[in-house]
């Protein structure tokens, strides 16, 4: 019997497990690969677990869009930090992580064969979700500093385009898109009758005085702007799987259909923990992000020694650097060599849609200062040999 063929054959394989296996087979490797933080959730998150356990009905299914306790707290956070007012024209839906929020959005607004515009380099799970949905990712290059090119985005829109996706602060580049560019893209979406999906998973991770901008706060934008958020990064919630989305009210029924089918409801125990995390003292985020900022400076200082063999664009957000290495090696061969010969791991750039050279993503969110120094030293040695 011939093996059955499905749409999944068109979807790229996740690169993180591949790199993880190489790291596992080479003990002592320092990972500059996966985009996680080193710290745990705040104590306030753990302190809410007994409250979850004390409620006898918490073993039952809860509301598809999230428990009222968390929705109320998210409403206050969105209004205070993002400038997004939640009213009868929009809704919050809690999800099992930011990736699920994006998948919900894609399935809610598209039909098979539709298009979504991605700016390259893109976050690979976004491209994968679009293909899984039977849609086509349309790729638009960013400029030499990985900033948006609104004119190019406008030119790429066709009758099949359903949305433009922006990710700021950006994964994989660490770049923060300017407010002017985000306003231009948002206006283009309004004028062309399509959605602006704004992924803001790294909203708290900005440096050098740069402020985060939420397109969902722009006047008149709530009818066509979909905003995606995550607890995974800022609150150390990677395995707890809590994200959320702000959507136009007219999409709520469609999004709930998707979520009820795939998930029914987000894990209630994690929702309690997320509510607790939102009660954390202001210093929790401030101190951890300041520590990451110091590690970033260590990494950047070392990477600058490679400017003769790498193009480095330092961003002001997230915790990534995206390097173009001037070499004839392809990115995966270089990645394997760095792990096998120098015990340092990065992520090859082709998985982010970059195939015009050798690109590598360097992540520093999970590193302590001493580990960062050693990891980057190994990377520098590996590049120079």
């Amino acid at each position: 019997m011939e093996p059955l063929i499905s749409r999944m054959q068109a979807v790229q394989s996740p690169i993180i497990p591949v790199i993880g296996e190489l790291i596992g087979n080479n003990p002592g490797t320092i990972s500059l690969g996966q985009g996680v933080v080193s710290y745990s959730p705040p104590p306030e998150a753990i302190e809410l677990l007994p409250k979850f356990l004390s409620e006898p009905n918490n073993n039952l299914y809860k509301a598809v869009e999230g428990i009222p306790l968390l929705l109320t707290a998210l409403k206050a956070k969105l209004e205070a930090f993002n400038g997004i007012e939640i009213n009868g024209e929009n809704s919050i839906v809690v999800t099992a992580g930011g990736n699920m929020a994006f998948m919900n959005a894609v399935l809610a607004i598209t039909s098979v064969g539709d298009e979504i515009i991605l700016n390259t380099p893109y976050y690979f799970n976004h491209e994968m979700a679009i293909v899984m949905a039977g849609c086509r990712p349309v790729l638009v290059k960013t400029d030499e500093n990985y900033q948006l090119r609104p004119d190019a985005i406008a030119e790429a829109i066709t009758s099949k385009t359903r949305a433009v996706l922006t990710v700021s602060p950006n994964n994989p580049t660490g770049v923060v898109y300017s407010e002017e560019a985000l306003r231009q893209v948002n206006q283009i979406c309004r004028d062309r009758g399509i959605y602006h999906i704004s992924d803001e998973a790294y909203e708290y991770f900005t440096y050098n005085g740069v402020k985060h901008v939420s397109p969902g706060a722009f006047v008149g934008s709530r009818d066509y702007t979909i905003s995606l958020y995550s607890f995974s990064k800022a609150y150390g919630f990677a395995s707890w799987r809590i994200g959320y989305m702000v959507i136009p009210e007219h999409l709520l029924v469609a999004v709930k259909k998707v979520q009820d089918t795939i998930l029914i409801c987000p894990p209630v125990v994690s929702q309690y923990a997320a509510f607790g995390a939102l009660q954390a003292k202001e210093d929790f985020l401030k101190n951890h992000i300041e520590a990451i900022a110091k590690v970033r400076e260590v990494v950047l200082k070392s990477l600058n020694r490679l400017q003769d063999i790498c193009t480095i664009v330092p961003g002001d957000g997230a915790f990534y650097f995206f390097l173009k290495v001037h070499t004839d090696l392809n990115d995966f061969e270089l990645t394997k060599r760095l792990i096998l010969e120098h015990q340092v791991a990065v992520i090859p750039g082709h998985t982010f849609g970059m195939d015009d050279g050798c690109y590598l993503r360097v992540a520093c969110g999970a590193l302590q200062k001493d580990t960062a120094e050693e990891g980057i030293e190994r990377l520098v040695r590996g590049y120079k040999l």
Side-chain angles (χ1 to χ4, degrees):
M1 176 179 174
E2 293 187 6
L4 296 174
I5 296 174
S6 84
R7 69 179 70 193
M8 298 307 294
Q9 287 190 311
V11 179
Q12 66 165 300
S13 296
I15 194 66
I16 297 293
V18 175
I19 301 301
E21 184 176 355
L22 286 169
I23 293 171
N25 292 334
N26 291 271
T29 297
I30 294 175
S31 177
L32 307 177
Q34 195 164 18
V36 294
V37 295
S38 63
Y39 54 88
S40 301
E44 290 86 351
I46 309 305
E47 290 165 4
L48 258 288
L49 299 185
K51 180 174 174 60
F52 163 79
L53 295 170
S54 71
E55 299 288 340
N57 292 325
N58 273 343
N59 60 302
L60 302 176
Y61 295 128
K62 300 299 179 183
V64 173
E65 65 269 33
I67 60 174
L69 185 77
L70 180 55
L71 291 171
T72 300
L74 290 173
K75 179 177 183 291
K77 175 267 176 183
L78 286 160
E79 292 179 357
F81 184 80
N82 303 94
I84 298 176
E85 180 185 359
I86 303 301
N87 53 34
E89 298 176 7
N90 56 8
S91 292
I92 305 169
V93 176
V94 181
T95 60
N99 280 358
M100 183 171 189
F102 181 70
M103 194 78 212
N104 283 354
V106 171
L107 292 173
I109 67 174
T110 65
S111 298
V112 172
D114 284 344
E115 299 172 349
I116 293 180
I117 292 176
L118 300 181
N119 297 281
T120 59
Y122 54 66
Y123 171 49
F124 51 84
N125 282 137
H126 287 155
E127 187 266 352
M128 293 166 68
I130 293 166
V131 175
M132 283 182 196
C135 297
R136 188 171 81 92
V138 174
L139 309 184
V140 175
K141 291 182 178 180
T142 49
D143 69 16
E144 64 276 9
N145 294 314
Y146 300 128
Q147 288 287 342
L148 297 172
R149 297 165 58 231
D151 290 346
I153 291 170
E155 290 177 7
I157 294 172
T158 72
S159 61
K160 290 183 174 293
T161 305
R162 294 295 172 261
V164 175
L165 172 67
T166 58
V167 183
S168 182
N170 187 258
N171 176 10
T173 66
V175 163
V176 179
Y177 296 148
S178 70
E179 179 174 350
E180 179 185 1
L182 287 171
R183 284 188 179 276
Q184 286 181 281
V185 171
N186 195 262
Q187 186 64 45
I188 289 167
C189 292
R190 179 177 188 168
D191 293 344
R192 303 293 286 272
I194 60 178
Y195 292 98
H196 180 182
I197 304 176
S198 174
D199 187 317
E200 302 172 36
Y202 298 89
E203 58 184 328
Y204 294 108
F205 296 90
T206 58
Y207 317 99
N208 304 317
V210 173
K211 300 296 184 183
H212 174 66
V213 175
S214 295
F218 297 159
V219 175
S221 69
R222 61 171 55 97
D223 283 346
Y224 58 91
T225 304
I226 299 170
S227 305
L228 313 179
Y229 302 95
S230 173
F231 277 72
S232 294
K233 313 305 180 183
Y235 288 104
F237 257 57
S239 71
W240 291 78
R241 308 313 305 138
I242 291 292
Y244 55 105
M245 58 197 304
V246 179
I247 59 175
E249 184 67 19
H250 64 260
L251 289 179
L252 182 59
V253 170
V255 167
K256 288 174 70 173
K257 285 180 183 178
V258 177
Q259 181 139 303
D260 186 67
T261 300
I262 296 174
L263 185 67
I264 298 183
C265 66
V268 178
V269 62
S270 296
Q271 292 191 67
Y272 271 77
F275 173 77
L278 290 172
Q279 315 310 309
K281 297 178 177 63
E282 186 177 328
D283 284 350
F284 175 80
L285 290 178
K286 180 175 178 288
N287 292 342
H288 282 304
I289 291 171
E290 285 179 354
I292 289 176
K294 292 176 181 177
V295 170
R296 286 181 74 257
E297 289 303 314
V298 170
V299 171
L300 183 58
K301 183 177 179 180
S302 292
L303 289 177
N304 281 337
R305 292 156 48 195
L306 296 172
Q307 288 187 346
D308 56 332
I309 56 175
C310 288
T311 300
I312 304 166
V313 178
D316 290 313
F319 35 73
Y320 304 111
F321 295 100
F322 200 65
L323 315 180
K324 183 173 185 179
V325 186
H326 310 312
T327 177
D328 291 332
L329 288 174
N330 71 52
D331 55 3
F332 190 66
E333 286 302 314
L334 180 54
T335 298
K336 286 199 297 184
R337 180 177 294 187
L338 288 169
I339 295 173
L340 298 176
E341 299 179 11
H342 301 281
Q343 290 190 300
V344 62
V346 293
I347 302 297
H350 72 268
T351 197
F352 303 101
M354 302 298 280
D355 55 7
D356 62 340
C358 180
Y359 294 85
L360 302 175
R361 189 190 75 175
V362 175
C364 56
L367 301 178
Q368 303 298 323
K369 185 177 179 182
D370 56 345
T371 312
E373 289 174 342
E374 175 58 27
I376 295 300
E377 283 304 311
R378 294 183 188 184
L379 192 68
V380 170
R381 289 196 297 269
Y383 282 176
K384 288 194 169 181
L385 292 178

